[in-house]
C-alpha cells in the first residue's frame, strides 16, 4: 500500500520538509506521496505527519480556525505517527513556558507529557549548529540546527529521551510521537526523515 | 536543505566557540537564512510600543518590527528618521515570545551593531529610515544577527544577498496604504527570474554573463539563482499593504509572507485588522476565508492612503542605485 505522508502547512518551514520526505521515500525505495496539509479533509488521508518549525503561537491559533487542531489531536491519539520539529514539538507538549516571558497562554495539542521551555538557548544571535547524537534510533551523528530552539526540562513516564545537548533534553519519543528541538530539514542529512518514514510504514502495515 | 548560494564561509559574523566543551557555530548562513524560513507564510507587523506588540502576537503575527514611528507618521513628520529607542525595543522583547526585529538606516553600521548588541532577532536595513550612506549598504556578513533588505528588482535583491542579506522583501512604497508598488516590484522580480531561468535552460552562458554585468553582481549568484528559478532566500511582500485582500493577492503572486507597516496600527480597527490580515495570509488560496477576513474589517477605518504618483518623498528610491 502506498504511504501518504503530510506536512502541516499552516505556517513555517513546509517546503524543505516536503523535499526531505520525498528524498527519504526515494532512498528507502518506498512507494508513497508527500502532500501539504491545511484542512481536516487533507489530514484525513494522511498516514504520517510532520509539524514543521515556524512560530508555534501562529500555527496553533491558525490551526483552530478550521477545526484542524482538534482533529489532529484525535488522529495522533488514535496512533498516527507525528514528528514535531521545534514549533511542532512545542505544539505537541503539555506544559510550556518562555525563558524570558515566563508563563504563556497558547493553543497546544497537549499530547506529549513534557515540560518545555521556549527560546531556551536565547534569541536568534544565540542560535547555533552543533553535532548531536540520537543513538537509540540508530543516528549516532547529526548536525543539529537550533534556531531560537526550545528544550525540555522534564519528561513524564514512558517518554523516551532520544538526545540531550549540554544537559538539556532536545529530542523525545513516545510511541508514535516524536519531538525534536532542531531542524533536520535545513540540512542535507535525511536520516531522521528516513527514520520517520520507516516508523510510519511499520505502523501502517 | 536550504539553498546556500552566495554564502561566505569566512564571514566575520560566524562565531565558532565551545559551549560547555561542545563545539558550536553561530551566525552561519544556514542559521540566518533558516531563521527567515521559520517566518514563511506569516505576517510581520510594525509596532511602536508594547501594547501594539501584544495585539500583534495575539493576532498570530510571526514577528514584530519595532519602529519609533509608523512609516506613514515618518512621512508626515519629515526630518531625519532613525532607529527606534533601545528601551522600547527591550520592553517589547521582555513582553512577547515571538521574534522581535528592528530597523536601522541604510549603510549605518553602528546603528546595526547597537541592534545586534540589543539582541533583536533580525535587523531590517530599511529605506523607511533616512539613509546614512546611499552608496554603500552594510556589509552584513560581519554580523551574527541576520538582516532583511528591500528590493524593487532581481538585481537589487541579488546585490543585497551578496552583501549578506538573509531575507528579501519588496520595497513597495512605505506608509502610503497603497499596495500598487509592492505588486509592481514582486511582478518585476518574478519576470526577471523567469527570464534568467529560460536563459539558463537554453545553455547561453554568455547571456548570463551579460545579465550579471547589468545587475552588478557576480556570475555565480546569477547562474545559481537561474538554476533554482527563485531567490536563494525567503522573499516577503512589504510596502503599502492595508487590507486582507492586499495580503492574499501578494501571497498569490508567490511571496513567502507579508510585512504590514502602517496598515494595521494606523487603521482605527487595529485589532480586528491584525487578525484579519493573518487569516487572509494563511488561507490566501481559499477565497471564502479571504472573504471572511475582509468582512472582519471596515473600509471606512482603513488607512486613508496616498497616490504614489504625487508623492514628494519616494522612499523606495533610497539606496536603489547601490
Amino acid at each position: 500500500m502506498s504511504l501518504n505522508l503530510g506536512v502541516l502547512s499552516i505556517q513555517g518551514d513546509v517546503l524543505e520538509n516536503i523535499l526531505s520526505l520525498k528524498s527519504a521515500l526515494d532512498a528507502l525505495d518506498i512507494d508513497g506521496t508527500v502532500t501539504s496539509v491545511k484542512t481536516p479533509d487533507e489530514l484525513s488521508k494522511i498516514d504520517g505527519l510532520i509539524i514543521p518549525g515556524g512560530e508555534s503561537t501562529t500555527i496553533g491559533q491558525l490551526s483552530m480556525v478550521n477545526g484542524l487542531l482538534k482533529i489532529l489531536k484525535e488522529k495522533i491519539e488514535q496512533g498516527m505517527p507525528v514528528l514535531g520539529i521545534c514549533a511542532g514539538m512545542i505544539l505537541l507538549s503539555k506544559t510550556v513556558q518562555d525563558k524570558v516571558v515566563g508563563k504563556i497562554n497558547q493553543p497546544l495539542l497537549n499530547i506529549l507529557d513534557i515540560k518545555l521551555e521556549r527560546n531556551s538557548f536565547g534569541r536568534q544571535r544565540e542560535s547555533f549548529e552543533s553535532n548531536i547524537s540520537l543513538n537509540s534510533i540508530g543516528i549516532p551523528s547529526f548536525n543539529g540546527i537550533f534556531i531560537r530552539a526550545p528544550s525540555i526540562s522534564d519528561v513524564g513516564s514512558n517518554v523516551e529521551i532520544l538526545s540531550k545537548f549540554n544537559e538539556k533534553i532536545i529530542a523525545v519519543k513516545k510511541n508514535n510521537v516524536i519531538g525534536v528541538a532542531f531542524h533536520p530539514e535545513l540540512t542535507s542529512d535525511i536520516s531522521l526523515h528516513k527514520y520517520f518514514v520507516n516508523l510510519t510504514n511499520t505502523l501502517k502495515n | 536543505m536550504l539553498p546556500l548560494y552566495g554564502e561566505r564561509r569566512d564571514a566575520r559574523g560566524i562565531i565558532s566557540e565551545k559551549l560547555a566543551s561542545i563545539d558550536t557555530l553561530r551566525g552561519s548562513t544556514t542559521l540566518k537564512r533558516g531563521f527567515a524560513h521559520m517566518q514563511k507564510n506569516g505576517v510581520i507587523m510594525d509596532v511602536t510600543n508594547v501594547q501594539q506588540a501584544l495585539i500583534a502576537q495575539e493576532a498570530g503575527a510571526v514577528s514584530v518590527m519595532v519602529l519609533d514611528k509608523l512609516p506613514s507618521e515618518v512621512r508626515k513628520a519629515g526630518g531625519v528618521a532613525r532607529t527606534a529607542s533601545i528601551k522600547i525595543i527591550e520592553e517589547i522583547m521582555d513582553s512577547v515570545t515571538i521574534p522581535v526585529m528592528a530597523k536601522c538606516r541604510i549603510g549605518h553600521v553602528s546603528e546595526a551593531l547597537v541592534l545586534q548588541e540589543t539582541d533583536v532577532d533580525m535587523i531590517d536595513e530599511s529605506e523607511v529610515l533616512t539613509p546614512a550612506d546611499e552608496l554603500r549598504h552594510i556589509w552584513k556578513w560581519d554580523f551574527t544577527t541576520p538582516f532583511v533588505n528591500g528590493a524593487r528588482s532581481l538585481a537589487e535583491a541579488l546585490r543585497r544577498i551578496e552583501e549578506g542579506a538573509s531575507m528579501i522583501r519588496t520595497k513597495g512604497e512605505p506608509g502610503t496604504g497603497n499596495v500598487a508598488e509592492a505588486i509592481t516590484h514582486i511582478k518585476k522580480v518574478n519576470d526577471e527570474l523567469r527570464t534568467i531561468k529560460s536563459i539558463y535552460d537554453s545553455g547561453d552562458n554568455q547571456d548570463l554573463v551579460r545579465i550579471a554585468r547589468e545587475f552588478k553582481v557576480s556570475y555565480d549568484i546569477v547562474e545559481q539563482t537561474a538554476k533554482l528559478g527563485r531567490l536563494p532566500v525567503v522573499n516577503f511582500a512589504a510596502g503599502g499593504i492595508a487590507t486582507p485582500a492586499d495580503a492574499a493577492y501578494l501571497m498569490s503572486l508567490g511571496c513567502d509572507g507579508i510585512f504590514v507597516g502602517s496598515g494595521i496600527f494606523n487603521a482605527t480597527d487595529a485589532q480586528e485588522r491584525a487578525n484579519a490580515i493573518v487569516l487572509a495570509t494563511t488561507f490566501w488560496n481559499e477565497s471564502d476565508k479571504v472573504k471572511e477576513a475582509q468582512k472582519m474589517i471596515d473600509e471606512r477605518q482603513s488607512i486613508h492612503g496616498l497616490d504614489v504618483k504625487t508623492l514628494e518623498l519616494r522612499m523606495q528610491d533610497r539606496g536603489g542605485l547601490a
Side-chain angles (χ1 to χ4, degrees), chain B residues 154 189-208 210-211 222-230:
Chain B
L154 184 56
V189 170
N190 287 344
D191 283 349
E192 290 169 331
L193 282 167
R194 270 198 293 272
T195 303
I196 65 166
K197 181 150 185 21
S198 67
I199 296 171
Y200 178 84
D201 291 341
S202 77
D204 189 347
N205 292 353
Q206 188 182 17
D207 207 27
L208 285 184
R210 178 188 64 78
I211 298 266
V222 172
E223 187 192 33
Q224 288 163 337
T225 304
K227 187 179 171 190
L228 195 66
R230 61 184 164 90

Side-chain angles (χ1 to χ4, degrees), chain B residues 99-120:
Chain B
V100 176
M101 305 180 178
K103 289 180 192 285
C104 73
R105 285 180 263 179
I106 290 174
H108 204 315
V109 176
S110 287
E111 269 192 359
L113 282 169
V114 165
L115 292 177
Q116 175 166 269
E117 277 312 306
T118 306
D119 242 351
V120 300

